Amino acid sequence: VRLGGRRWRTIISDVRLGGEHYRVIRPASPPGHAALYDADRYAHASVDGEAAADLAAAWWLAARSRHSLIHLPLRASPSRCGAEHGDRRLDLVLVQHSRQFPVHRWPAVRARLAATARPHTVTLPPVPFREPSRTEYDRVRHREFHDQLRWRIVADTLFVIGSRTGYELAAGAMRRLTEDYPAYRAAWPNSHCCAELDLGRTFRHDQRNGACRLHVQRCDEHS
Ligand SMILES: [Zn+2]
Ligand SMILES: [Zn+2]
């Protein structure tokens, strides 16, 4: 699957709540093979090719959307692959921290999505993901790095919260999971292929948001 030029059919909802306005973008069709499981600070998803491409498209959109929440209702996925990692299933929301979305409002926002839904097609550019420099990757390990992705779990939903740069630095893993998988699988037929993202701070001084890992694996049985 090539991501360049890919068209992603979505639904946009504009929710008014408590004097605020929230724009939520979600896929038009329910996610296929993309269940997400909560395994105690380790969130695991098993995806096929189409679901990997949808996730990469969502990631691309999250990097560019300063004001929108990108909502992947993965609890609706009929897939059971990956269930060995946990019983509790999660939805996924990607949002930039500059949006300052009050996550406790999510259940109320989610309940109002259907009321204002309208279709919208997102088209990815020919080269959707830029290649961050070595220096940018090195900065991730720095103590004062402000672009670290953070996380919260609210109402059966994993929120990934970050800056544009934070999303861009993690996008390479999502792109490879989609585009490079066939070649990878041909070269190493029995190997595990995944994107693994560190969310939250691993530094001890930050008590607000401990470490969590988002692990997205290409399903061995359903490519
Ligand atoms: Zn892995
Ligand atoms: Zn599967």
mmCIF file of all heavy atoms in Angstrom, residues 192 194 196 215, ligand 1:
data_model
loop_
_atom_site.group_PDB
_atom_site.id
_atom_site.type_symbol
_atom_site.label_atom_id
_atom_site.label_comp_id
_atom_site.label_asym_id
_atom_site.label_seq_id
_atom_site.Cartn_x
_atom_site.Cartn_y
_atom_site.Cartn_z
ATOM 1 N N HIS A 192 8.655 -10.647 13.227
ATOM 2 C CA HIS A 192 7.645 -9.784 13.814
ATOM 3 C C HIS A 192 7.844 -8.383 13.240
ATOM 4 O O HIS A 192 8.945 -7.873 13.229
ATOM 5 C CB HIS A 192 7.926 -9.868 15.308
ATOM 6 C CG HIS A 192 7.224 -8.897 16.179
ATOM 7 N ND1 HIS A 192 6.338 -9.293 17.139
ATOM 8 C CD2 HIS A 192 7.303 -7.547 16.275
ATOM 9 C CE1 HIS A 192 5.903 -8.234 17.792
ATOM 10 N NE2 HIS A 192 6.453 -7.167 17.295
ATOM 11 N N CYS A 194 6.542 -4.429 13.492
ATOM 12 C CA CYS A 194 5.711 -3.554 14.333
ATOM 13 C C CYS A 194 6.231 -2.123 14.350
ATOM 14 O O CYS A 194 7.362 -1.849 13.962
ATOM 15 C CB CYS A 194 5.656 -4.092 15.758
ATOM 16 S SG CYS A 194 7.213 -3.948 16.651
ATOM 17 N N GLU A 196 6.614 0.687 17.368
ATOM 18 C CA GLU A 196 6.551 0.760 18.825
ATOM 19 C C GLU A 196 6.880 2.191 19.241
ATOM 20 O O GLU A 196 7.971 2.680 18.964
ATOM 21 C CB GLU A 196 7.552 -0.232 19.423
ATOM 22 C CG GLU A 196 7.292 -0.516 20.863
ATOM 23 C CD GLU A 196 7.836 -1.879 21.288
ATOM 24 O OE1 GLU A 196 8.691 -2.433 20.570
ATOM 25 O OE2 GLU A 196 7.410 -2.362 22.333
ATOM 26 N N HIS A 215 2.098 -0.196 20.877
ATOM 27 C CA HIS A 215 2.701 -1.225 20.032
ATOM 28 C C HIS A 215 1.690 -1.609 18.959
ATOM 29 O O HIS A 215 0.592 -2.062 19.272
ATOM 30 C CB HIS A 215 3.045 -2.435 20.916
ATOM 31 C CG HIS A 215 3.702 -3.557 20.193
ATOM 32 N ND1 HIS A 215 3.083 -4.752 19.952
ATOM 33 C CD2 HIS A 215 4.947 -3.676 19.663
ATOM 34 C CE1 HIS A 215 3.925 -5.558 19.311
ATOM 35 N NE2 HIS A 215 5.050 -4.935 19.130
HETATM 36 ZN ZN ZN B 1 6.897 -5.391 18.316
#
